[in-house]
Amino acid sequence: MEEAQHSVPASPPAIWLVNDDPAQLMVQKRLLQRIAHEVRDFLSPVEALAQARQVETSPYLVTDFQMPMMDGPDLARQWYSLFPQTRILIVSASEVSPQDQRRVDAMPADSVRLLTSYRISELPGKAKLWFFSVDEQLRTVTDKVGDKVRFDPSVLEKLAALGGEEFVLKTIERFLRSVPEKLEGLIEATQAPDLPKLHLLAHSLKGSCGLVGALSLARAADELEQAAAKGTDGDWPTLVDDIKREVEVTFEILRWRSQ
């Protein structure tokens, strides 16, 4: 079995928040701190840009639409020129004019999004879905074993389309709760070894992997399942150790994904 190579970021990117209204800025910052490890707030878009030019990272941006000197779309355009890999959320408490909508539409749709007529309590959820979406988070990690992809992001994307972010998080939570018991059973079954039990638990684990798109862990479980089904002598502890290593990496990534 190839040695797993992985790298999980310590934390998601920071969010920079710009709003010229001090009261709104305070409330928005408090709400966004629920989903981000760091939120930097600015009353002035000019000041935010000046500070942004001095950093090497690519912070996400949440900006109010209507502001003096420089409005949200203008700030977003300049922010994107500094950080082409970032994501930007422009927020407006009311609908915008068709002309302003076209200004936003002219920017890359995979980098800039407009949120209008929203309730302030919705901001954390909307921002999390945009900034920390399923595909964005899973593709931010180096999720390969050799030349094989560790995760299939489309699985969680489909879950998100069916039931939203809450449904995705519940599915991940169920997966994280169910796997340790299966792994413990596999370890115990290597003692005899108990081939029917190894086969059954490996098959069950493989099925659970399909719920979250954990391809590499599913491959390790399938290898054990096939070996147990043949009923021949096998290096059962090694096969289970391969699964254990994949479980550790998979859990690390999914826990980060669900923060």
Side-chain angles (χ1 to χ4, degrees), residues 20 27 30 33 41 52 68 80 90 102 137 155 157 196-197 199 204 219 250-251 254 258:
D20 64 304
V27 174
R30 192 165 298 174
Q33 284 174 331
D41 56 309
Y80 178 77
I90 306 173
R102 286 193 292 270
Q137 290 199 35
V155 174
E157 290 169 11
K197 186 175 182 180
H199 179 271
S204 177
R219 286 191 291 266
T250 300
F251 272 37
L254 286 177
S258 60

Side-chain angles (χ1 to χ4, degrees), residues 19-59:
N19 195 313
D20 64 304
D21 184 314
Q24 289 190 43
L25 186 69
M26 179 185 68
V27 174
Q28 289 177 343
K29 180 178 182 179
R30 192 165 298 174
L31 291 172
L32 291 173
Q33 284 174 331
R34 298 177 183 176
I35 65 168
H37 77 289
E38 178 186 357
V39 180
R40 295 187 60 180
D41 56 309
F42 300 87
L43 286 167
S44 165
V46 175
E47 179 186 357
L49 272 176
Q51 293 292 323
R53 292 189 177 99
Q54 300 178 32
V55 301
E56 296 181 357
T57 56
S58 298

Side-chain angles (χ1 to χ4, degrees), residues 236-255:
W236 311 113
T238 297
L239 289 172
V240 172
D241 282 345
D242 291 339
I243 290 176
K244 184 178 180 181
R245 282 194 297 271
E246 277 303 322
V247 166
E248 291 172 353
V249 177
T250 300
F251 272 37
E252 187 178 5
I253 295 173
L254 286 177
R255 282 172 176 153

